Amino acid sequence: MPEQFVIGVDLGGTKILTALANREGHVLAEQKIPTEAAKGQQHVVAQIVQSVEQVRKKAGVKPEQVPALALGAPGPLDSCKGIIHFAPNLAWHDLPIRQVLERRLSIPVLLDNDANLAALGEHVYGAGRGEDNMVYITVSTGIGGGLIFGGRLYRGFADVAGEIGHMTVFPDGPLCGCGNRGCLEALASGTAIARDARELAACGRGAQILAAAGGDAAGITAVTVAAAAAAGDNTAESIIARAARYLGIGIANIINLLNPSLVVLGGGVMDIGEPVWQNLRTEVQARTLEEAGKSARLAAAELGGRAGVMGAIALAQRCAFGVMDNQTWK
Ligand SMILES: [Zn+2]
């Protein structure tokens, strides 16, 4: 039998990352292309097809040598039926993406949530290697997460488990994109940090934040707030400390509820570094029950922007060569 390979695709709002790997998970070809979501659904599907064909040809692999391709996409979606219900950044509604891609590519397709696959990627290839009970959290523009228990992804009854960003941590807090108030995402994401800084800048506070943004409040981002904090701006420091504190509260809740051995943290806000880590560690320590807190290690994600595509590779490998956990374990 000719050698077999798997393909992983990470579909994002701005880019599509595609990789082809052998049975052992060594990546032989990889490609990043723009999603060009504004050009519509059919164009994005064509972009996915093109990127898959290109990595396959680059590696000299025929479609019949690929027993599984896994696609990670923004949800909500139905991983069993292969349907993306709604993708705000892509303006999609109820797209049967598995069926569409299988017809165009002649390769069996699996679909999963992008945060779930990033969690699986870190579990199999990143900071979570060898940890069978771990939680993955990404803190960037939004806050997402994925849960691994007994070495498998836990997707929940309706495929929506792991929405860590929408845990309420402050009942009367700021409005979240989901419509509720005081979600973790509304208090600790990069978007929340930038919003807080803009509000304070409007009151004349945080001179260095405004300077780091070139004097224009509209240009303030979590990155400019972090730069001002590093330069010693007290307002910037307190905004970051507050966001990290809420993050710590959310993580402590998760640790007390699930007793993982590891919490992997990734995303741009974590890259701010010590001011975030130090404040969240203090909060986690203060709020976790002794045994749960002692046994849960906090670690930085290792795969960065490649976590999703490596998770897609891992899911396709499990389906093609090993345990099939996509459809059988809820
Ligand atoms: Zn929310």
Side-chain angles (χ1 to χ4, degrees), residues 89-109:
N89 292 331
L90 300 168
W92 283 1
H93 290 274
D94 292 331
L95 176 72
I97 187 79
R98 174 195 283 166
Q99 197 189 342
V100 172
L101 290 179
E102 285 184 344
R103 207 168 45 217
R104 301 272 296 265
L105 293 166
S106 305
I107 293 171
V109 171

Side-chain angles (χ1 to χ4, degrees), residues 165-166 176 178 180 183:
H166 301 289
C176 180
C178 74
N180 285 324
C183 293

Side-chain angles (χ1 to χ4, degrees), residues 8-17 35 44-45 48 69-79 82-90 92 95-98 101 109-118 145 155 159 163 307-309 311-312 315:
V9 182
D10 183 17
L11 169 64
T14 56
K15 61 172 177 35
I16 299 166
L17 188 55
T35 309
V44 176
V45 170
I48 298 171
L69 174 153
L71 170 74
L77 49 79
D78 185 326
S79 62
I83 296 170
I84 299 175
H85 289 309
F86 178 59
N89 292 331
L90 300 168
W92 283 1
L95 176 72
I97 187 79
R98 174 195 283 166
L101 290 179
V109 171
L110 300 153
L111 174 70
D112 212 324
N113 173 285
D114 48 6
N116 278 351
L117 289 189
R155 297 184 174 84
D159 247 358
E163 288 289 353
V309 77
L315 182 66

